[in-house]
Amino acid sequence: SYVLTQPPSLSVAPGQTARITCGGDKIGRKSVNWYQQKPGQAPVLVVYDDTDRPSGIPERFSGSNSVTTATLTISRVEAGDEADYHCQVWDDSGDPVVFGGGTKLTVL
Amino acid sequence: QVTLKESGPVLVKPTETLTLTCSVSGFSLSSGEMGVSWIRQPPGKALEWLAHIFSNDAKSYTTSLKSRLTISKDTSQRQVVLTVTNMDPVDTATYFCARILAADTTIYYMDVWGKGTTVTVSS
């Protein structure tokens, strides 16, 4: 089955840029979605199909995807961005839906 | 406005069957390239996809739990039901349902999630 690998944690200072990675075999060929999950809440879609943002998501959130790594970039990080971030792909072998292990973003 | 709401028992005993209901509003379960997924999250752990069902009634299940899961939908009632048989304490988790949208024939994403329902398995 397909595996997505995320760093367990990342810490950034307010105003800096956070880059959260999601690694997978030939992930560049897949469509990657990213979800933000704050404590005690449901996940919220922040980026879909690698780079697109749903309405209402700030432009500070952007995505990219290349070869073996997809990246969620959060510019000008704010305290309110502190959350777990999960990447997800659709796979055509094994389970059709795969999530990464999640990255806990801490704003210092 | 699209909403999804999970409901079901808070506590189940080991070996019992869990039945969860996802009640939806703001979209139809019978039209368009849409579907509903069930995802769970054990305390402090990652999200785990369980199953989904599309408007054309196509279904998929996670390989690891396939023998224990059944997903179905009642279009008139606007509900998607997931049953999990033979519950075990390791199945203790928050269970979410989410709408699946298709941006293309190969591009899908879960754009709206319910708040989740927490299920504890204990005797």
Side-chain angles (χ1 to χ4, degrees), chain A residues 31 33 35 37 40-45 48-49 84 86 88 90 94-102, chain B residues 37 39 41 46-49 52 54 60-63 96 100 103 106-111 113-115:
Chain A
S31 172
N33 305 316
Y35 304 89
Q37 186 181 26
Q41 297 184 20
V44 172
L45 179 70
Y48 67 96
D49 193 21
D84 292 330
H86 309 271
Q88 177 259 314
W90 291 74
D95 282 2
V97 179
V98 180
F99 284 97
Chain B
S37 270
I39 304 102
Q41 186 174 38
L47 298 171
E48 178 185 19
W49 173 78
H52 62 224
F54 279 91
S60 291
Y61 300 96
T62 181
T63 305
F96 300 97
I100 305 167
T106 59
I107 299 170
Y108 300 89
Y109 51 94
M110 289 172 270
D111 70 325
W113 294 57
K115 293 183 178 181

Side-chain angles (χ1 to χ4, degrees), chain A residues 70-83:
Chain A
T71 303
L72 174 68
T73 301
I74 309 172
S75 304
R76 302 180 300 283
V77 165
E78 302 173 356
D81 298 331
E82 190 162 281

Side-chain angles (χ1 to χ4, degrees), chain B residues 25-48:
Chain B
S25 65
F27 70 101
S28 171
L29 291 171
S30 62
S31 62
E33 286 288 329
M34 292 188 196
V36 171
S37 270
W38 280 98
I39 304 102
R40 73 180 180 180
Q41 186 174 38
K45 295 191 176 181
L47 298 171
E48 178 185 19

Side-chain angles (χ1 to χ4, degrees), chain B residues 7-72:
Chain B
S7 59
V10 174
L11 179 67
V12 298
K13 291 181 169 54
T15 75
E16 288 186 340
T17 293
L18 171 68
T19 299
L20 295 171
T21 300
C22 177
S23 301
V24 310
S25 65
F27 70 101
S28 171
L29 291 171
S30 62
S31 62
E33 286 288 329
M34 292 188 196
V36 171
S37 270
W38 280 98
I39 304 102
R40 73 180 180 180
Q41 186 174 38
K45 295 191 176 181
L47 298 171
E48 178 185 19
W49 173 78
L50 298 177
H52 62 224
I53 186 167
F54 279 91
S55 55
N56 63 0
D57 216 38
K59 306 167 188 175
S60 291
Y61 300 96
T62 181
T63 305
S64 61
L65 296 171
K66 187 172 185 176
S67 63
R68 298 173 52 205
L69 300 176
T70 302
I71 192 169
S72 62

